[in-house]
Amino acid sequence: YALRDASDAAALAVMSRLLDREACRFVPLSRTMLVSEVVERLKAERPAGLCLLSVPPGGMAHARTLCKRLRAAVPDLKIAVGRWASTLPEKYRSALTEAGATYVGRTPAETREHAISMARLRPTNAVARNGRPVAGAG
């Protein structure tokens, strides 16, 4: 889910290319969706996790608010936040985890690893689009 603007949407496109489709199902959500729509979709689909992407500058308050609302609405949801910056002060990581983020990645590679780790936490009946079991599921 790209949080704010075209930079975040570009980050979403990068993330989509980094993920192994066999190990992780990646479904981009439109940044025009209301938070309530995202919550309803998450409740209906029960994914292994959600990855929020936000490229500085800006967007920190929005990321924190969204983490808080998602955590309140879907308490067991794993939330990875990709806050891609060459330097990410610890206070920002702490603010995001206090708001409900499970993981905070400061690079595309770090965020990719968090997303894949969430996919590994899926129930044993998880299957890829081709019908085969998801690698690392269960």
Side-chain angles (χ1 to χ4, degrees):
Y1 182 71
L3 289 173
R4 298 171 299 129
D5 56 24
S7 295
D8 295 345
L12 187 68
V14 167
M15 194 70 197
S16 174
R17 292 198 176 273
L18 289 175
L19 291 172
D20 177 358
R21 302 269 185 221
E22 293 296 312
C24 186
R25 183 173 157 239
F26 187 75
V27 180
L29 300 176
S30 170
R31 70 177 189 253
T32 62
M33 289 178 74
L34 299 173
V35 174
S36 60
E37 292 173 315
V38 172
V39 167
E40 288 308 310
R41 186 160 177 184
L42 293 171
K43 285 181 176 180
E45 294 183 13
R46 307 299 295 169
L50 176 71
C51 187
L52 305 174
L53 299 171
S54 177
V55 179
M60 187 65 186
H62 186 68
R64 285 180 46 234
T65 299
L66 189 55
C67 283
K68 285 179 185 178
R69 291 190 60 193
L70 291 170
R71 178 63 56 225
V74 190
D76 59 337
L77 179 68
K78 303 293 184 221
I79 303 170
V81 178
R83 182 78 179 158
W84 299 350
S86 58
T87 59
L88 183 65
E90 185 55 39
K91 69 179 183 177
Y92 293 127
R93 280 185 190 240
S94 296
L96 289 165
T97 55
E98 287 170 16
T102 310
Y103 310 103
V104 179
R106 65 182 173 117
T107 66
E110 236 180 52
T111 307
R112 175 188 179 273
E113 291 307 311
H114 294 317
I116 289 172
S117 74
M118 289 187 301
R120 289 185 185 124
L121 298 174
R122 289 183 187 196
T124 56
N125 63 350
V127 294
R129 281 185 237 164
N130 62 9
R132 291 186 293 175
V134 172

